[in-house]
Amino acid sequence: MFDKVTIIGLGLMGGSAAKALKKKRLARRVWAFARSQKSLKRYKKLRLVDAVTRDLDAAVRDAEIILLCAPPSAILYYLQALSRLNLDGALIMDMGSVKTDIMRCAQKLFAKKNNFVGAHPMSGSEKSGAGHADAGLYEGNACFLVPLKKNHFFKKALKFWRSLGSKPVVIGPFEHDRIVAAISHLPHLLAFSLVAFVPRTQARFAAGGYTSISRLALSDPELWADILTANKKHLVKTVREYARRLLGAASCIEHKRKEEVESLLKENSRTV
Amino acid sequence: MFDKVTIIGLGLMGGSAAKALKKKRLARRVWAFARSQKSLKRYKKLRLVDAVTRDLDAAVRDAEIILLCAPPSAILYYLQALSRLNLDGALIMDMGSVKTDIMRCAQKLFAKKNNFVGAHPMSGSEKSGAGHADAGLYEGNACFLVPLKKNHFFKKALKFWRSLGSKPVVIGPFEHDRIVAAISHLPHLLAFSLVAFVPRTQARFAAGGYTSISRLALSDPELWADILTANKKHLVKTVREYARRLLGAASCIEHKRKEEVESLLKENSRTV
């Protein structure tokens, strides 16, 4: 059992972690930090954690684990803030969707103890906010872990994510950002672009084909602008490569016989 | 109540119509035509219809409604075959995803009675085959109807689709093919292309973003090669316009500030 776990940013991801920690009795105390009076009130009402405070120092004092569950740019801010506090023995983890900048920053700030581990659970939803918190959100899904060092903090990170039911996958920041550009950021940009492209007067007739993609465009635009911008280097390259393949498929349909289109789709079809 | 309804092509779409007709007691008799001995056996085992025969003439004799539930190219073949039979008073409808060629063909073949109505229910699934037939498949969804003439056959078509719970939308073939290129064929091509693009070694880490799109690539490649090829004129134009927008979004992410990316996503985000 973990002792005190502090969650900074009680949204869907942080809220779900809190709910799982309480439900599975994995932590003795779960605290949350609230940036504003409004958030404080809302967090208290949700009753997902044992205590909420606007005092960052108090929030993280004696914490065994600190979870940064904020958009990528806010994580950078909190890393700076935490580095100025006395966090003796605390493991710090983020849940950001992009890792290069965060790891570079963490490497500088936590070089002495190497008590930071970048984490990115591959769980999510188009819904946002701790009101949709789900104790099973991490169950059965991969969780990328980017350690500074394979020390005892890293071992604790592994234990933490396994206890939430997720499957840790150890990876470097560059490789992480390259992969999530393809499996998460590209799909979301495809969805936002599809919704922009199809007029509402047509979309209202749509069946599963359109709606299973457009669902992703219900995701929070502010958060996703932050994520997509933070991973622009990998994402832009990925989008251009994908577009080339898509246009290639269109050319095949335009110029080739049905049998050749069928071979193309067969190669491309999902077998599971 | 309809008298005899004959289904040619007992797959997911035809099978679901048969199931609904029987369950809701909308037709006195539901027959199916089987192209091969193998299909005949399979159809009989499914017990979705009252009778199955390999004799097309017998299958459609005395039918009040004939439903062509085959891929677009096969529909053209069956239209020819039906035009040579004596179908006194039968309403013929197809369920094809592309309408221009089918309507052009039907206009020539059924000019005397105008007893053909093109239909395209906006219901479907990545699953195929009558084994997945669902009596509620058409419930609540739009169904495009393309009449040759607004005669009593057309009125019967309206009645038929309403009785299955779908909402008829009367449309011309050109407009139909243009719209479905955007709301159905493009999404499927995005999915096939995404699955082709993302290596399996990466896809296995994916969460909802990727999988809610890749699900569409489970669709039958043979059927979809037929559909995409049949609508190539509209589809290729649609794909190129969409790719331009997608690449525009990538450029915005590459060159602009986060606030501008956020504005772009906000415009593009789905509000419902």
Side-chain angles (χ1 to χ4, degrees), chain B residues 27-248:
Chain B
R28 234 176 291 275
R29 290 173 292 161
V30 181
W31 281 50
F33 167 76
R35 210 173 37 169
S36 64
Q37 190 59 30
K38 201 178 140 201
S39 304
L40 184 110
K41 268 192 179 168
R42 192 157 39 89
Y43 292 177
K44 281 192 171 172
K45 224 183 233 165
L46 286 165
R47 294 167 179 272
L48 289 168
V49 294
D50 302 305
V52 188
T53 171
R54 290 186 63 196
D55 178 345
L56 186 62
D57 197 1
V60 298
R61 197 176 301 141
D62 307 319
E64 186 178 354
I65 296 174
I66 300 165
L67 286 176
L68 296 171
C69 315
S73 61
I75 291 171
L76 294 173
Y77 165 83
Y78 284 117
L79 286 180
Q80 294 282 353
L82 291 177
S83 72
R84 289 189 290 267
L85 301 175
N86 177 29
L87 302 169
D88 211 27
L91 160 65
I92 306 168
M93 290 189 283
D94 76 313
M95 289 207 204
S97 308
V98 187
K99 284 289 173 275
T100 309
D101 290 353
I102 287 169
M103 294 312 294
R104 196 181 293 132
C105 178
Q107 206 149 26
K108 278 184 206 150
L109 298 170
F110 305 101
K112 221 163 116 194
K113 290 189 189 145
N114 290 302
N115 56 330
F116 179 85
V117 176
H120 182 201
M122 295 306 288
S123 304
S125 166
E126 72 279 12
K127 291 169 192 148
S128 50
H132 295 107
D134 167 11
L137 188 67
Y138 302 111
E139 207 80 50
N141 290 351
C143 177
F144 288 116
L145 289 184
V146 189
L148 284 177
K149 260 212 176 128
K150 294 200 174 170
N151 52 17
H152 74 280
F153 289 109
F154 170 62
K155 278 184 195 152
K156 188 174 281 188
L158 281 174
K159 197 178 138 194
F160 177 85
W161 287 104
R162 283 195 185 119
S163 72
L164 290 185
S166 70
K167 294 175 279 189
V169 177
V170 184
I171 197 168
F174 181 91
E175 192 61 7
H176 170 274
D177 290 357
R178 197 176 65 87
I179 291 179
V180 295
I183 65 174
S184 172
H185 305 169
L186 170 65
H188 279 83
L189 196 61
L190 291 180
F192 280 114
S193 302
L194 184 66
V195 168
F197 179 69
V198 178
R200 307 250 156 141
T201 49
Q202 297 183 7
R204 69 199 161 105
F205 301 129
Y210 174 83
T211 52
S212 66
I213 299 183
S214 67
R215 183 185 66 82
L216 299 176
L218 287 163
S219 305
D220 180 15
E222 195 182 336
L223 171 66
W224 278 90
D226 203 279
I227 293 172
L228 301 181
T229 306
N231 202 22
K232 69 165 78 170
K233 213 186 89 193
H234 290 281
L235 177 61
V236 169
K237 191 166 172 273
T238 299
V239 171
R240 289 185 180 143
E241 284 169 9
Y242 173 82
R244 229 184 337 264
R245 188 177 285 262
L246 178 67
L247 290 167

Side-chain angles (χ1 to χ4, degrees), chain A residues 73 122-124 141-142 144 169 171 175 178-180 182-184 186-222 224-226 228-229 231-232 235-243 245-247 249-251 253-258 261-272, chain B residues 73 122-124 141-142 144 169 171 175 178-180 182-184 186-222 224-226 228-229 231-232 235-243 245-247 249-251 253-258 261-272:
Chain A
S73 61
M122 295 307 288
S123 304
N141 291 351
F144 288 116
V169 177
I171 198 168
E175 193 61 6
R178 196 176 67 87
I179 291 179
V180 295
I183 65 174
S184 171
L186 171 66
H188 279 83
L189 195 62
L190 291 180
F192 280 114
S193 301
L194 185 66
V195 168
F197 178 69
V198 177
R200 307 248 157 144
T201 49
Q202 297 183 7
R204 70 198 161 105
F205 300 128
Y210 175 84
T211 53
S212 65
I213 300 182
S214 67
R215 183 185 67 80
L216 299 176
L218 287 164
S219 304
D220 179 15
E222 195 181 335
W224 277 90
D226 203 279
L228 301 181
T229 306
N231 202 22
K232 70 165 78 170
L235 178 60
V236 169
K237 190 166 173 274
T238 299
V239 171
R240 289 186 181 141
E241 284 170 8
Y242 173 83
R245 188 176 285 260
L246 178 67
L247 290 167
S251 285
I253 292 165
E254 191 176 28
H255 299 297
K256 304 224 169 154
R257 286 175 318 126
K258 198 178 78 183
V261 176
E262 193 182 322
S263 305
L264 179 79
L265 297 188
K266 264 186 186 151
E267 277 167 39
N268 295 0
S269 68
R270 195 177 158 203
T271 45
V272 283
Chain B
S73 61
M122 295 306 288
S123 304
N141 290 351
F144 288 116
V169 177
I171 197 168
E175 192 61 7
R178 197 176 65 87
I179 291 179
V180 295
I183 65 174
S184 172
L186 170 65
H188 279 83
L189 196 61
L190 291 180
F192 280 114
S193 302
L194 184 66
V195 168
F197 179 69
V198 178
R200 307 250 156 141
T201 49
Q202 297 183 7
R204 69 199 161 105
F205 301 129
Y210 174 83
T211 52
S212 66
I213 299 183
S214 67
R215 183 185 66 82
L216 299 176
L218 287 163
S219 305
D220 180 15
E222 195 182 336
W224 278 90
D226 203 279
L228 301 181
T229 306
N231 202 22
K232 69 165 78 170
L235 177 61
V236 169
K237 191 166 172 273
T238 299
V239 171
R240 289 185 180 143
E241 284 169 9
Y242 173 82
R245 188 177 285 262
L246 178 67
L247 290 167
S251 285
I253 291 166
E254 189 176 30
H255 299 296
K256 302 221 171 160
R257 286 177 317 128
K258 198 178 80 183
V261 176
E262 192 183 327
S263 305
L264 178 80
L265 296 188
K266 265 185 188 154
E267 277 167 40
N268 295 1
S269 70
R270 193 177 161 204
T271 46
V272 284

